[in-house]
Amino acid sequence: MMAKTFAISVLVFWACAVLLARVLEVHGNEIDLQHILATPSLHFWFGSDDLGRDILARVLRGAEVSFLVAIVVTLVNMLVGVSVGVLAGFYGGKVDRLLMHITDVFLAFPGILLAIAFAAVLGPGMLNLVFALCLTGWVSYARLARGQTLSLRNRQHVQAAESLGATPFRLMLRHILPLLTSLLMVEATYSLASIMIAEASLSFLGLGIQAPSASWGAMLRDGVRYMLVAPHYVLIVGLSLMSLILAINLGGDYLRDKLDVKSV
């Protein structure tokens, strides 16, 4: 119960904070050279960075970037992966073997390394970052959807609908996909946390969101250089990222137990 309360409280806090920052048009790009690496105070609640910019404002904008990238990548990965998995499981045979061979090829590469390679080739930027993170993220959805579809394909209600003349598209859309919803929701929850970490990692390496836009990964990279003289910079950004990832994972655990999903 405490984990559930913590997860909901943190997620609601960050969602409200991001929306409020958007409404108030907080950017955090204003440079103030007189307050470089200022410690937390009434003027700078979270202190300032190496250019005198307000860390609180930049943390909020970084949270917005993390949410946006994670949601877009998750939706794309789910659409591609579920389509591939359901088609493979429904038709079986050569279609199944072909699609699963393609899936296995992407699965053979470490996801973050492949994302780093493509981000380096394509160059930094929001769109390239999203594309790089979508390269291998759909694989887990494909394998999950395929395994469940193989099981559901022989259910009596699916066979009954097929005997009544339902088209393959209708069978997949109306009789199989609804039964995958619980598993996909739990998988998407864990995927959100993984994508946020991957986005921060790529930005930390300089392959993600570029200045002057705020990104937690880029802020961590900049803060590491001043860890001894301004430890608040790294600590605040690191704790912000940790709290959000922890809340999402705890929310995923609660959702899995609530929906009675045995394994994902």
Side-chain angles (χ1 to χ4, degrees):
M1 184 60 67
M2 292 182 59
K4 169 190 171 183
T5 304
F6 171 80
I8 294 176
S9 300
V10 171
L11 291 175
V12 170
F13 167 78
W14 280 113
C16 293
V18 168
L19 291 176
L20 183 62
R22 169 59 66 175
V23 171
L24 297 178
E25 297 183 352
V26 175
H27 298 290
N29 294 330
E30 296 81 7
I31 297 176
D32 185 356
L33 298 181
Q34 295 182 353
H35 295 90
I36 293 177
L37 297 177
T39 57
S41 62
L42 292 177
H43 183 60
F44 294 106
W45 288 10
F46 284 4
S48 62
D49 64 5
D50 54 320
L51 294 177
R53 296 173 296 189
D54 188 0
I55 293 178
L56 173 59
R58 294 186 65 77
V59 164
L60 294 178
R61 296 316 297 265
E64 180 183 348
V65 170
S66 293
F67 274 118
L68 179 61
V69 171
I71 291 173
V72 171
V73 173
T74 298
L75 290 176
V76 173
N77 286 340
M78 184 182 295
L79 178 62
V80 175
V82 172
S83 299
V84 171
V86 172
L87 286 174
F90 185 85
Y91 286 106
K94 294 182 179 180
V95 174
D96 183 22
R97 288 193 294 272
L98 174 62
L99 293 178
M100 285 303 100
H101 284 327
I102 296 175
T103 302
D104 290 338
V105 169
F106 281 91
L107 191 63
F109 294 93
I112 187 63
L113 293 182
L114 191 61
I116 290 174
F118 271 83
V121 172
L122 298 173
M126 175 75 79
L127 292 179
N128 292 341
L129 174 64
V130 170
F131 179 76
L133 293 176
C134 288
L135 282 174
T136 58
W138 59 272
V139 172
S140 60
Y141 292 99
R143 295 177 67 86
L144 176 63
R146 185 246 185 189
Q148 293 299 311
T149 302
L150 287 173
S151 174
L152 297 172
R153 181 69 175 87
N154 296 320
R155 291 280 184 91
Q156 292 183 353
H157 73 281
V158 176
Q159 294 180 345
E162 187 174 17
S163 64
L164 291 175
T167 63
F169 179 77
R170 182 179 179 84
L171 289 174
M172 289 184 283
L173 185 64
R174 298 293 299 274
H175 299 280
I176 293 179
L177 275 178
L179 298 179
L180 300 178
T181 303
S182 298
L183 284 170
L184 293 176
M185 288 177 60
V186 176
E187 177 68 18
T189 303
Y190 292 121
S191 177
L192 282 172
S194 299
I195 292 169
M196 286 184 176
I197 294 176
E199 182 273 323
S201 301
L202 291 176
S203 296
F204 184 89
L205 296 174
L207 300 174
I209 308 301
Q210 298 297 295
S213 299
S215 169
W216 284 351
M219 294 174 69
L220 285 173
R221 180 192 64 212
D222 296 337
V224 166
R225 295 179 294 178
Y226 307 101
M227 187 178 296
L228 297 180
V229 295
H232 66 277
Y233 191 2
V234 172
L235 289 176
I236 289 173
V237 179
L239 289 174
S240 299
L241 180 60
M242 184 194 73
S243 66
L244 184 55
I245 298 302
L246 179 60
I248 292 175
N249 284 329
L250 291 176
D253 291 339
Y254 171 75
L255 191 63
R256 180 192 59 199
D257 297 336
K258 190 71 173 178
L259 297 176
D260 195 27
V261 176
K262 301 303 181 183
S263 62
V264 178

